[in-house]
Amino acid sequence: EYIRSYYYNKLEYTRFSSSVGKHVGFTEYGVRNAEYWNNDPSYLSAMKAQKEGYCLHNIQIDYTAALTKS
């Protein structure tokens, strides 16, 4: 799962989760940002592609590293 969180003053205001497939806002400002980002299909597809570009590429490396150290 790919999660990208946005913080200001140690308060999370918006989060993108690949399992949900969209941004979710937690504050008034975060809800406005989430609505704006969710209405942009190119930005949403780019965020969804991050899972394949980052997570799926590195999962075997992290899995192997965790098994060899235990």
Side-chain angles (χ1 to χ4, degrees), residues 2 4 6 10 13 17 20-21 25 28-29 31 35 38-39 43 48-49 52 58-59 61 66-67 69:
Y2 177 75
R4 185 169 184 173
Y6 299 88
K10 299 181 183 180
Y13 63 91
S17 175
V20 177
E28 182 180 342
Y29 177 69
V31 169
E35 288 175 3
N38 289 335
N39 288 328
Y43 184 73
K48 290 176 184 176
E52 286 81 22
N58 291 318
I59 189 67
I61 297 167
L67 288 180
K69 293 181 180 181

Side-chain angles (χ1 to χ4, degrees), residues 19-50:
S19 62
V20 177
K22 65 178 185 174
H23 288 85
V24 178
F26 300 109
T27 64
E28 182 180 342
Y29 177 69
V31 169
R32 285 187 301 189
N33 279 323
E35 288 175 3
Y36 177 75
W37 290 331
N38 289 335
N39 288 328
D40 186 0
S42 64
Y43 184 73
L44 267 184
S45 64
M47 292 301 290
K48 290 176 184 176
Q50 289 293 320

Side-chain angles (χ1 to χ4, degrees), residues 3-20:
I3 297 174
R4 185 169 184 173
S5 298
Y6 299 88
Y7 291 89
Y8 181 74
N9 281 344
K10 299 181 183 180
L11 177 67
E12 183 179 25
Y13 63 91
T14 306
R15 177 188 301 166
F16 175 83
S17 175
S18 64
S19 62
V20 177

